[in-house]
Amino acid sequence: MCVWWGPVVRVLVLQAAWAVGGGQVRYSVPEEAKAGTVVGRLAQDLGLEAGEAEARRLRLVSQGRRASVEVSGASGALVVSSRLDREELCGKSAPCALRLEVLVERPLRVFRVELEVTDINDNAPLFPAARKNLSLSENIPPGSRFPLEGASDADIGANAQLSYAISPTEHFTLDVKSSDDNRKSLFLVLAKSLDRETLPVHRLVLTASDGGRPSLTGTMELVISVLDVNDNAPQFNQSVYKVQLPESAVERTLVVRLNATDPDEGLNKEFSYSIVSSVPAGNTDLFRIDPKTGEIRLTGALDFEDVRLHELQIEARDKGWAPLSGHCKVVVEVLDVNDNAPEVWVTSLSVPVPEDAAVGTVVALLSVSDRDSGANGRVRCAVWPAAPFGLVSTFAGSYSLVLREALDRERVSEYEVEVRAEDGGSPSLRARRGVRVPVSDVNDNAPAFAQAVYTVLARENNAAGAELARLLARDPDEADNGRVRYSVWEGGVGGVASAGGGWRPASSYVSVDAESGRLWALQPLDYEEVQVLQFEVRAVDAGEPPLCGNATVQLFVVDENDNAPALLPAGSGGPGPGASGDAASGPGSVSGALWAWAAWGAPAGQVVAKIRAVDADSGYNAWLRYELWEPRGKGPFRVGLYSGEVSTARALEEADGPRQRLVIVVRDHGEPARSATATLSVSLVEGAEAALAAAGSSSSKAGTGAEGGASAAGAAATTNVWLVVAICAVSSLFLLAVVLYGASRWAPRAGVLSGPGPATLVCASEVGSWSYSQRQSRSVCVADGAGKSDLMVFSPNFPPPPGPAAKEMQPEPPALLDTKSMREHYTVSSILNAFGESDVRAAVAESQVSTAAAEATGSCEWRKEKDGKSREMGEKNRSRQSEREEGLKPEE
């Protein structure tokens, strides 16, 4: 049942679609198309599916003439079956459209298909005869004209546009006249007198070329026979006939009746009249003459404004053996009627008009005329709208358009004025002319910047001449009044205090291009010298007097990793328990020498020294990490990745020797990373000697011997004291956790906010040394009580620190940012991605545990065996993660 309903539904849908669309398909095919050429996809255009054309017997219905197209049964396409000749099918008709009927059975449907056959240049011009014989008397004067029949072309359009040429000869020329209906009249003009005795027969070739591409030609041979003289020509009773006709004269009006006589007898006396030529040329079709009676009648419409005077050359030719002709002139004067509207011209226009032009200023000169004459040509004028312009008549046919009211370009920048003219005819005719009057500007607007404050980021150590930003000020005025030039305004508040204590103007750092507003750097910027440079840029127009506008530019210098870590000397808080020595303290130092003591049998995890370093850079470039470079492998010591603490990796044995030399590399996280190297010599001694050495080191830092003895006694305390310290430390940890939880819940959130997400502050006393410069960081208390600038700020609203992925996100050159944005922030996600989430969380946990222990005991010597093992495990994981990600080697 479903199989039977499917075709029925499709037929109903097809019938509905054709009922809506009109049921007619149109195709186009050029004539002379080869048999088999596909004209169109008839089956598809009729809405039939594949295979239905043959099944439903799609075919054309013959209508009596030979069909040149057929339907392909397999595909249902309409193809050319035989030669298509547009001229045979339609002749000169255009367009040539064949209406076909298409029949579809099962169910029966009839559709109409219209096939347009387009023309190609397949027909050459054709003359009525291949040869034309002319007989001319030898006494015909030069200048005589003889009409010739032109060629015809079966094509249409440009393919049927004909041009004519005649073979070169000194006796004849060809004159081609075009009529109003685009037909051409050919005349053979005698250029030189004939002489039958010299040349009795002239043979010329007349060639016609059509306008197709390529052009086709047709020829006709002209055989001109020279006859003997006929001594009497017809004579008119007047040489000039003058006639007056109104331009409204209707067709077939009698113009004049001519009269000519011939004194000859017989055939030489009989003659006929003809119009030879007209002035203006091409008006021969406007008049017609009776060849027997000589009556000239009007065959078209006259136009006084077009041609006021027509001159017709009339010829009377006899029928003698050597025909002679007489000529006269007919002058037809055309009289005017009111059939033309007035015309308005703008002879002079002084625009634009300045908006401060005085009342009475002449804006334009107008000329008004009417092609008619008399009262028909008298014109009255008015202007609309009446304000702010008016008309003043200067003399007949001339008016001045003057200003009646003051102008304001800011209110109206251009006026469309209409001048209206009316003649005095009956009925009167009217005309209108629009005049566009633009209003020019005066300098009454100052340049205005798009922003009052521009924020620009520039990288440190940028190249001199680098483009920092582009400022843009707009002036609504025109021409020079709106042409803006930029400069750094020295009169404004701009500059920065130099490192030497002096004041340097902003113009010594930056310059602005006067034409484009591009901000350039005159010298490399140093973040350690200047972080923020604020100055003003002035935009001045070129008007008279000039007007100006100002904008404030805040230039923030973004830090680059151009400073290597510097090792702190032992005096700045001490190197740690049991460590002493010297280290370079300048910012450019790259190495240092330290020494420390360790007791035989010291358990794993005991801190023997602490390496301290700072970096003059800020942010990510100042975040330091410590690596044990020598000895490699399973040595007795290890170093904290971010804390710099040197501790025992296992219990010390006598096989380790009396002294261990450790080479520790300190690296920052910049791109590329910079490093410094510290050499630590650890002497392995007995427990009492190690305590005395540590006490001596502590006393040297404190400056008194009594305090040094107390420290040595504390270092040599019994195991019971260590147990008490451990219990106190665990209790302190619990109390600290409770305090931190309460602070995080109830205390106001502190940090740097920028955007919707809160910032996170991390104290890096044990995690690492992310050290800002001393001028921009806060002093954070670490475990041993030493002050250190280790404030790490994480914000989820700023781009990640420099790296392979982050470089792609940073704009180059620096773009303009919001003034409220901070200069440097790094996201928590970036830190987690760079060093691993587990390592960072372990480092934070280690920092909290170490800080709590230091607050509880007052020193950094407390360690718990279980915590030491956990730290050792985390330290190894962080070292492996750091080696995988950084892949850096120390600079020797």
Side-chain angles (χ1 to χ4, degrees):
M1 190 67 175
C2 294
V3 176
W4 181 80
W5 275 102
V8 174
V9 172
R10 286 197 298 270
V11 170
L12 293 177
V13 172
L14 179 60
Q15 291 177 349
W18 276 92
V20 174
Q24 186 169 358
V25 181
R26 295 179 176 86
Y27 296 108
S28 177
V29 62
E31 65 173 327
E32 304 297 342
K34 295 182 179 180
T37 301
V38 177
V39 177
R41 298 173 297 180
L42 181 59
Q44 182 177 351
D45 294 338
L46 293 179
L48 302 180
E49 297 182 357
E52 286 189 344
E54 188 172 8
R56 299 183 58 186
R57 297 187 63 189
L58 176 66
R59 68 180 186 276
L60 294 177
V61 179
S62 177
Q63 294 185 349
R65 61 169 137 182
R66 179 176 58 87
S68 300
V69 292
E70 63 182 10
V71 178
S72 176
S75 62
L78 187 65
V79 298
V80 177
S81 61
S82 61
R83 177 176 176 269
L84 282 171
D85 189 352
R86 194 203 65 80
E87 289 73 23
E88 178 183 348
L89 295 173
C90 301
K92 298 290 287 186
S93 299
C96 181
L98 302 181
R99 291 176 174 79
L100 308 176
E101 289 188 357
V102 179
L103 182 63
V104 180
E105 298 183 357
R106 304 172 188 172
L108 182 63
R109 288 281 294 168
V110 178
F111 301 94
R112 292 188 179 274
V113 176
E114 184 174 290
L115 177 62
E116 180 182 359
V117 181
T118 59
D119 183 56
I120 64 172
N121 193 23
D122 59 339
N123 291 280
L126 182 64
F127 284 94
R131 174 183 296 180
K132 180 176 180 61
N133 297 317
L134 296 177
S135 297
L136 302 180
S137 176
E138 64 177 342
N139 64 344
I140 294 178
S144 299
R145 302 162 59 86
F146 310 97
L148 299 176
E149 293 184 74
S152 61
D153 197 315
D155 295 322
I156 60 174
N159 297 329
Q161 296 293 329
L162 303 181
S163 60
Y164 298 89
I166 195 171
S167 57
T169 177
E170 61 179 354
H171 290 87
F172 297 93
T173 60
L174 187 65
D175 186 15
V176 181
K177 302 292 183 183
S178 297
S179 60
D180 292 340
D181 57 354
N182 294 327
R183 300 189 63 181
K184 295 184 178 180
S185 300
L186 304 181
F187 294 91
L188 187 66
V189 181
L190 182 62
K192 184 179 180 181
S193 299
L194 299 176
D195 189 0
R196 190 191 63 84
E197 288 73 22
T198 302
L199 183 63
V201 177
H202 295 264
R203 296 183 180 276
L204 305 177
V205 177
L206 178 62
T207 303
S209 301
D210 62 23
R213 294 188 179 181
S215 177
L216 301 179
T217 60
T219 60
M220 180 176 67
E221 184 183 15
L222 299 177
V223 179
I224 303 173
S225 301
V226 182
L227 305 179
D228 203 7
V229 296
N230 179 16
D231 55 349
N232 288 295
Q235 296 293 327
F236 289 91
N237 57 352
Q238 292 179 230
S239 60
V240 178
Y241 292 84
K242 294 184 178 180
V243 182
Q244 289 184 340
L245 286 177
E247 63 177 329
S248 59
V250 297
E251 189 177 350
R252 297 188 60 79
T253 298
L254 177 63
V255 179
V256 67
R257 180 179 289 107
L258 304 179
N259 184 23
T261 60
D262 192 336
D264 292 335
E265 295 292 334
L267 293 177
N268 294 332
K269 186 178 182 179
E270 296 178 5
F271 57 87
S272 61
Y273 298 93
S274 64
I275 299 176
V276 178
S277 63
S278 67
V279 177
N283 286 344
T284 54
D285 293 338
L286 189 60
F287 303 92
R288 187 179 61 187
I289 188 171
D290 190 306
K292 293 182 179 181
T293 64
E295 293 181 353
I296 299 178
R297 294 185 179 274
L298 191 64
T299 59
L302 299 176
D303 190 354
F304 172 82
E305 290 72 28
D306 186 15
V307 179
R308 299 188 179 187
L309 204 66
H310 295 269
E311 294 184 3
L312 303 178
Q313 294 291 338
I314 308 300
E315 179 186 74
R317 181 183 295 273
D318 63 22
K319 299 180 181 180
W321 176 252
L324 297 178
S325 60
H327 299 83
C328 73
K329 180 188 296 185
V330 177
V331 178
V332 180
E333 181 183 359
V334 182
L335 302 179
D336 179 59
V337 295
N338 190 27
D339 59 345
N340 288 278
E343 295 180 350
V344 182
W345 295 279
V346 179
T347 58
S348 178
L349 183 62
S350 299
V351 292
V353 180
E355 61 178 317
D356 57 350
V359 174
T361 301
V362 177
V363 178
L365 297 179
L366 305 174
S367 178
V368 181
S369 66
D370 195 313
R371 297 176 63 187
D372 297 325
S373 61
N376 298 330
R378 287 193 291 270
V379 182
R380 299 182 300 271
C381 292
V383 64
W384 186 91
F389 300 98
L391 280 180
V392 176
S393 177
T394 55
F395 51 89
S398 181
Y399 294 87
S400 296
L401 183 66
V402 298
L403 186 63
R404 296 295 192 189
E405 299 176 1
L407 301 177
D408 184 5
R409 194 193 72 88
E410 283 68 32
R411 185 174 60 88
V412 180
S413 62
E414 186 176 272
Y415 290 89
E416 291 290 341
V417 180
E418 186 177 82
V419 179
R420 299 177 176 179
E422 181 181 4
D423 63 21
S426 180
S428 61
L429 301 178
R430 298 174 178 83
R432 300 179 180 183
R433 170 69 67 177
V435 180
R436 186 177 64 88
V437 182
V439 181
S440 64
D441 183 58
V442 296
N443 192 26
D444 55 351
N445 292 281
F449 286 90
Q451 300 176 216
V453 179
Y454 288 85
T455 301
V456 180
L457 296 183
R459 291 188 176 276
E460 182 184 12
N461 302 321
N462 60 302
E467 181 179 347
L468 302 178
R470 181 176 296 183
L471 309 181
L472 178 62
R474 298 187 181 277
D475 194 322
D477 295 327
E478 298 177 339
D480 289 343
N481 296 333
R483 187 175 298 111
V484 180
R485 295 182 64 86
Y486 304 87
S487 63
V488 177
W489 186 31
E490 297 294 348
V493 179
V496 68
S498 62
W503 179 265
R504 296 185 61 183
S507 59
S508 62
Y509 292 95
V510 296
S511 175
V512 63
D513 185 80
E515 299 295 335
S516 64
R518 294 181 177 178
L519 189 65
W520 308 94
L522 295 178
Q523 62 180 8
L525 300 175
D526 188 0
Y527 176 82
E528 287 70 36
E529 177 184 353
V530 55
Q531 290 81 41
V532 182
L533 181 62
Q534 180 170 321
F535 55 92
E536 289 190 5
V537 174
R538 169 169 288 187
V540 182
D541 60 26
E544 289 294 338
L547 302 178
C548 65
N550 296 333
T552 301
V553 178
Q554 294 179 345
L555 177 63
F556 292 92
V557 182
V558 180
D559 181 54
E560 293 287 340
N561 191 27
D562 56 347
N563 292 280
L567 299 173
L568 294 177
S572 60
S580 63
D582 296 328
S585 61
S589 59
V590 296
S591 64
L594 301 172
W595 61 88
W597 297 268
W600 297 107
Q606 180 174 345
V607 178
V608 299
K610 185 169 184 178
I611 308 300
R612 299 181 180 277
V614 294
D615 197 312
D617 296 321
S618 65
Y620 206 75
N621 297 326
W623 189 8
L624 303 181
R625 57 187 298 174
Y626 303 83
E627 299 177 3
L628 182 61
W629 186 250
E630 291 183 2
R632 295 277 186 170
K634 298 181 180 180
F637 296 97
R638 64 185 178 188
V639 62
L641 181 61
Y642 300 111
S643 64
E645 292 183 347
V646 180
S647 60
T648 56
R650 54 178 174 79
L652 300 179
E653 302 173 355
E654 295 183 0
D656 295 328
R659 177 172 294 180
Q660 290 286 333
R661 178 178 177 272
L662 307 180
V663 178
I664 300 173
V665 176
V666 185
R667 302 179 190 273
D668 57 26
H669 285 75
E671 284 292 339
R674 296 179 178 270
S675 62
T677 304
T679 302
L680 176 64
S681 297
V682 181
S683 299
L684 304 182
V685 296
E686 295 295 336
E689 297 179 3
L692 291 175
S697 175
S698 300
S699 62
S700 64
K701 290 187 287 183
T704 60
E707 293 173 354
S711 299
T718 61
T719 307
N720 294 332
V721 176
W722 287 105
L723 182 58
V724 173
V725 171
I727 295 174
C728 294
V730 172
S731 302
S732 300
L733 284 175
F734 175 77
L735 293 176
L736 179 62
V738 173
V739 172
L740 292 176
Y741 177 79
S744 64
R745 291 292 299 241
W746 307 108
R749 189 181 301 272
V752 180
L753 298 181
S754 178
T760 304
L761 297 180
V762 179
C763 180
S765 61
E766 292 292 324
V767 177
S769 298
W770 187 333
S771 303
Y772 284 93
S773 62
Q774 298 295 333
R775 293 168 298 200
Q776 294 193 0
S777 60
R778 297 183 181 178
S779 179
V780 181
C781 180
V782 296
D784 56 0
K788 184 178 180 182
S789 301
D790 286 352
L791 181 62
M792 295 169 59
V793 182
F794 300 93
S795 174
N797 302 303
F798 287 87
K807 287 182 178 180
E808 300 176 358
M809 301 173 60
Q810 297 178 355
E812 290 293 341
L816 300 179
L817 299 179
D818 183 37
T819 56
K820 296 182 180 180
S821 301
M822 297 185 61
R823 296 189 297 272
E824 298 177 14
H825 290 285
Y826 304 96
T827 62
V828 174
S829 60
S830 301
I831 302 300
L832 296 177
N833 293 333
F835 302 101
E837 181 177 359
S838 61
D839 293 346
V840 175
R841 296 188 184 279
V844 174
E846 181 182 352
S847 172
Q848 294 174 352
V849 172
S850 301
T851 305
E855 293 176 354
T857 61
S859 67
C860 294
E861 297 182 0
W862 176 85
R863 295 290 185 271
K864 189 176 180 180
E865 182 177 359
K866 183 176 181 180
D867 293 340
K869 292 181 180 180
S870 301
R871 186 180 295 106
E872 180 180 1
M873 182 71 68
E875 199 70 34
K876 289 181 180 180
N877 292 335
R878 287 193 295 274
S879 298
R880 289 194 296 269
Q881 182 70 15
S882 175
E883 291 175 358
R884 287 195 303 269
E885 295 179 350
E886 298 294 337
L888 301 176
K889 295 185 178 180
E891 300 176 0
E892 296 295 340

